[in-house]
Amino acid sequence: MLSSPAEQQALRDTVDLEAALATVETLIAQLGQALSEHDPAATETASTALHRALGQAVDRATRAARHGGMPPALRRRLAACGGQVAALREAVARASVSLDKALEILLPGAGTARASVYGADGQAARTSSGGIAQA
């Protein structure tokens, strides 16, 4: 039986951490679903909620560690959530690179100093890139 205030606090912290981890796991699944469906609004909503939930979970894990430690099962779940978030971050980075490459193919030079690929007369616009100056 839990009789000391410290034991009761440790139990409350563990229960709070369990709830926070369940929320994080749910939001990771929602974010993964939104990303797979290519739904920008749902992705934004899920990522914002996940960011907040991760902050709360870390806060609760810190409290649990201070008041008697975190049970190994919850520690493993927290680590698994961190790995899942890292995997989602990597997937977003890969998708971003793919999008950048596709845009570069469709719109060569977009976002660079070159204003256009072709001049007004239809000829390729050339810029001086060094070499010999002619008088």
Side-chain angles (χ1 to χ4, degrees), residues 18-43:
E18 166 69 33
L21 282 176
T23 300
V24 167
E25 290 164 341
T26 299
L27 291 169
I28 287 171
Q30 287 176 3
L31 180 56
Q33 183 69 29
L35 288 169
S36 70
E37 293 175 354
H38 304 289
D39 184 344
T43 298

Side-chain angles (χ1 to χ4, degrees), residues 9-10 12-14 16-17 56-70:
Q9 182 62 46
R12 280 193 299 272
D13 289 342
T14 300
D16 289 347
L17 177 58
Q56 292 173 350
V58 168
D59 178 58
R60 289 191 170 103
T62 302
R63 262 192 296 167
R66 269 190 264 147
H67 297 121
M70 190 181 339

